[in-house]
């Protein structure tokens, strides 16, 4: 099955997913965080996903960021709702900066670069690529 990554935000959440062979990470969608779990249930009903990678935000000193208080309960709910899926937390420290640089270097216009939803899903793709590289996919 595919690997899906989640770049959780308190307002918006970026999502990325691999192809079925787990070769390429693709930015998928940005959803309102309050719609996230409903969106995931719908997506999982139509797509074979084995691993859910949750971006784990840390401060520069390695301490968990403020957002972890939302992410840990989400991880628990996902493990409970989808016992057949592995739920993994993965360091996301520099992904937003990398996403903004990637978008800027891609030649996308200035107005599109201000689109925070684009940054969120590109961040999710970077988290997914890093996770895949760390696991040898």
């Amino acid at each position: 099955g595919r690997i899906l990554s989640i770049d959780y935000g308190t307002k918006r959440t970026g999502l990325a997913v691999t192809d079925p062979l787990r070769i390429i990470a693709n930015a998928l969608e940005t959803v309102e965080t309050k719609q996230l779990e409903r969106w995931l249930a719908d997506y999982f009903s139509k797509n074979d996903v084995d691993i859910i990678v949750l971006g784990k935000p840390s401060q520069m000193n390695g301490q968990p960021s403020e957002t972890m208080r939302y992410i840990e309960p989400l991880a628990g709910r996902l493990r409970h709702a989808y016992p057949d899926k592995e739920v993994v937390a993965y360091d996301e420290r520099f992904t937003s900066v990398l996403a903004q640089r990637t978008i800027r270097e891609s030649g996308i216009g200035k107005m599109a670069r201000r689109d925070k939803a684009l940054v969120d899903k590109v961040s999710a793709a970077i988290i997914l690529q890093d996770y895949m590289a760390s696991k040898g996919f």
Side-chain angles (χ1 to χ4, degrees):
R2 298 171 189 259
I3 305 170
L4 179 117
S5 70
I6 299 173
D7 181 28
Y8 183 92
T10 53
K11 293 183 179 131
R12 284 177 322 278
T13 296
L15 299 154
V17 71
T18 64
D19 60 292
L21 298 177
R22 298 182 178 178
I23 297 170
I24 299 169
N26 296 298
L28 180 63
E29 185 85 54
T30 300
V31 299
E32 284 185 49
T33 298
K34 60 186 173 205
Q35 303 294 326
L36 175 64
E37 291 177 62
R38 187 179 308 141
W39 188 95
L40 289 170
D42 184 55
Y43 188 82
F44 295 153
S45 73
K46 299 172 187 162
N47 297 277
D48 184 23
V49 174
D50 289 341
I51 302 171
I52 303 167
V53 178
L54 272 168
K56 182 173 89 178
S58 301
Q59 298 172 15
M60 294 305 289
N61 65 5
Q63 293 297 311
S65 85
E66 188 64 21
T67 317
M68 276 307 288
R69 66 188 176 115
Y70 301 106
I71 292 172
E72 287 172 339
L74 173 63
R77 289 191 305 274
L78 293 173
R79 285 185 181 102
H80 179 77
Y82 308 104
D84 59 319
K85 300 180 192 329
E86 183 181 355
V87 178
V88 179
Y90 189 77
D91 186 6
E92 64 159 47
R93 243 177 290 192
F94 302 104
T95 53
S96 290
V97 173
L98 283 171
Q100 288 168 334
R101 184 182 311 149
T102 301
I103 291 165
R104 189 173 54 249
E105 290 173 357
S106 72
I108 291 175
K110 198 174 263 184
M111 290 309 289
R113 288 199 307 255
R114 290 191 187 125
D115 180 2
K116 300 237 187 292
L118 178 61
V119 173
D120 292 338
K121 65 184 176 184
V122 171
S123 292
I126 291 170
I127 292 166
L128 186 51
Q129 285 175 325
D130 286 354
Y131 172 79
M132 290 167 60
S134 77
K135 297 297 181 190
F137 287 114

